[in-house]
Amino acid sequence: MDTSKVILIVAIIIWIILYSIRDSINLKTYGGIFGILRTKLGLKTIEKLGKYKIWQKIGIISIPICVILGFFMLLNIIDMSIRLLSGTLPKEAAKPVVFLFGDVIPWIPGIIALLIAISVHELAHGIFAKSFGIKVKSSGILLLLGLPLGAFVELGDEFKTADKKIRGAIASAGPLANLIIFLTSIPLLSFSYTLPTELKIIDVKEPASEFLQKGDIIYEINGKKINSLEDFKEFAKTIEPKKEYEIKILRDNKILTYKIVSSNEGKLGIMVSPTKNTALFINTIYWTYWFNFLLALFNLLPAMPLDGFHVWNAFPELLKERKNRFISKVGQILELFINEKTLGSITLLVWWVILGSILYSMW
């Protein structure tokens, strides 16, 4: 039985147990498959970190940065939808992330990465809200069957009546936290490729298929020991067309040596994979990198209920408060175009474009 089926079965069993005791553990369910499990998880962290007022300044500074990023994301969404309809972009590009699990995205690393991205996002909202004196009513875990989709924080009613600038600063916290994790993941991903590991051949094509087999372990290439994915990647960059390469592999506890001539395109036809533990670590970092990047930018779209709605709504007010008369005037002009009414219209546009793209990709 493959990993996907095992995870699904385990998730269903866990969900049946949780569902049967939902009243005693404060689990609220929706549609029989979704759940919100309210806990005290994260509240202590929010209380401790939220007492520092530095978060207020960071939140305010983040507003214009988030608006700029959100603007480019909006243009990208519109451009993708146009290219999708024109046929210059494959339909698969518009498929929701959830449909990529088990195929493009491996289950375990994908779930861990998604959990990290959403949890960090929500925790940041709670910390920034606390710094502004906004009450954090509860926190908890979002569930799909027995699978954790991430964490959430529930803010007090005073958030709704708070100043636009404060709402914008709190809203910017989630995407900002995701961007920080994204940037942190870049050097960590580079490091992961240097980890010592065996490299097993998982697919082999011509010209290597005449000599090598699936399951062979790459030992040495042209006299250089291959100890990591980085070693193999560096070698792959140097492959030239119609050139002979000496490859030593480990098969049945024996070291075998072959001389293979590369193809006209400069390829050997070898695909390798590290050990399971190393692959799990690399994939988790890789998808943490991507999920945080995508979650940050997607949430900055100027549409309800995304963070971008509050961030964009706060931007004109932020400019109007500047002492510089020119900047203040720009803020007044922008407020004519960026306000709750126009953002409501943009909300409809954004979600219709996204929904239309998804339906088109599945047609």
Side-chain angles (χ1 to χ4, degrees):
M1 187 178 293
D2 61 37
T3 306
S4 298
K5 291 180 180 177
V6 172
I7 292 174
L8 184 59
I9 291 172
V10 171
I12 292 173
I13 293 173
I14 292 173
W15 180 249
I16 291 172
I17 295 172
L18 293 176
Y19 193 85
S20 64
I21 58 172
R22 60 189 182 277
D23 293 332
S24 60
I25 61 173
N26 198 22
L27 172 65
K28 194 170 184 179
T29 60
Y30 301 89
I33 59 172
F34 292 100
I36 293 179
L37 181 61
R38 283 184 169 82
T39 69
K40 298 297 182 181
L41 187 68
L43 286 182
K44 288 185 178 180
T45 302
I46 291 172
E47 288 288 336
K48 287 181 180 180
L49 296 180
K51 65 184 180 182
Y52 300 107
K53 301 303 179 183
I54 185 66
W55 303 119
Q56 294 183 8
K57 294 182 180 180
I58 294 174
I60 298 298
I61 294 171
S62 299
I63 291 174
I65 298 172
C66 288
V67 168
I68 293 170
L69 292 174
F71 177 72
F72 282 109
M73 185 60 181
L74 180 61
L75 291 180
N76 186 58
I77 287 286
I78 295 172
D79 176 63
M80 283 184 63
S81 63
I82 293 173
R83 290 194 291 131
L84 190 69
L85 292 173
S86 65
T88 57
L89 190 70
K91 287 186 175 183
E92 289 73 18
K95 281 189 176 181
V97 170
V98 67
F99 292 131
L100 301 179
F101 276 87
D103 183 14
V104 177
I105 305 173
W107 277 103
I108 296 177
I111 290 172
I112 294 173
L114 186 61
L115 186 60
I116 291 172
I118 298 177
S119 299
V120 167
H121 183 102
E122 293 299 321
L123 187 64
H125 282 316
I127 292 171
F128 276 52
K130 188 65 180 177
S131 73
F132 279 104
I134 304 295
K135 184 180 178 181
V136 180
K137 294 168 66 176
S138 67
S139 65
I141 302 171
L142 301 172
L143 298 169
L144 170 59
L145 292 179
L147 298 174
L149 293 181
F152 72 91
V153 293
E154 184 182 10
L155 302 182
D157 293 336
E158 56 265 40
F159 173 77
K160 299 176 184 178
T161 57
D163 187 81
K164 289 181 183 179
K165 189 173 62 177
I166 293 177
R167 280 182 281 159
I170 294 172
S172 71
L176 180 64
N178 289 134
L179 287 174
I180 292 173
I181 298 298
F182 161 72
L183 293 173
T184 305
S185 298
I186 295 174
L188 195 56
L189 188 59
S190 297
F191 165 75
S192 68
Y193 285 118
T194 66
L195 293 174
T197 181
E198 288 185 345
L199 295 180
K200 184 180 292 186
I201 296 177
I202 57 173
D203 193 18
V204 59
K205 298 177 182 178
E206 293 184 352
S209 57
E210 186 178 342
F211 309 95
L212 308 182
Q213 303 173 7
K214 290 182 181 179
D216 289 344
I217 295 173
I218 301 293
Y219 182 76
E220 191 177 281
I221 299 177
N222 281 356
K224 182 181 178 181
K225 190 80 180 291
I226 303 299
N227 294 315
S228 66
L229 272 175
E230 184 65 26
D231 290 342
F232 189 80
K233 283 175 62 181
E234 289 301 315
F235 159 70
K237 294 177 184 177
T238 65
I239 300 176
E240 300 176 9
K242 289 296 179 181
K243 186 175 179 180
E244 185 178 82
Y245 295 91
E246 184 180 89
I247 299 179
K248 290 185 179 181
I249 56 97
L250 187 64
R251 183 190 299 165
D252 298 328
N253 294 321
K254 295 179 182 179
I255 295 178
L256 305 176
T257 303
Y258 298 100
K259 293 184 177 181
I260 304 173
V261 178
S262 60
S263 67
N264 293 330
E265 295 78 25
K267 296 180 180 180
L268 290 176
I270 303 172
M271 185 178 291
V272 300
S273 176
T275 59
K276 287 185 177 181
N277 289 338
T278 304
L280 176 64
F281 180 76
I282 292 174
N283 276 318
T284 301
I285 299 300
Y286 178 79
W287 289 109
T288 297
Y289 164 92
W290 274 113
F291 281 158
N292 277 276
F293 177 72
L294 294 174
L295 188 61
L297 293 187
F298 181 75
N299 263 284
L300 289 177
L301 287 170
M304 281 290 284
L306 303 178
D307 298 322
F309 182 92
H310 296 295
V311 174
W312 282 56
N313 199 31
F315 186 52
E317 182 176 310
L318 185 67
L319 296 181
K320 283 168 56 181
E321 292 180 354
R322 299 301 94 185
K323 293 181 180 180
N324 185 293
R325 292 179 63 183
F326 175 75
I327 295 177
S328 179
K329 188 65 176 178
V330 170
Q332 293 175 22
I333 295 172
L334 281 178
E335 195 171 38
L336 298 174
F337 302 97
I338 303 177
N339 51 60
E340 290 195 5
K341 187 175 181 180
T342 57
L343 288 174
S345 300
I346 294 175
T347 295
L348 291 175
L349 171 65
V350 168
W351 288 117
W352 274 114
V353 167
I354 292 174
L355 180 61
S357 299
I358 291 174
L359 292 176
Y360 182 75
S361 71
M362 300 172 66
W363 187 258

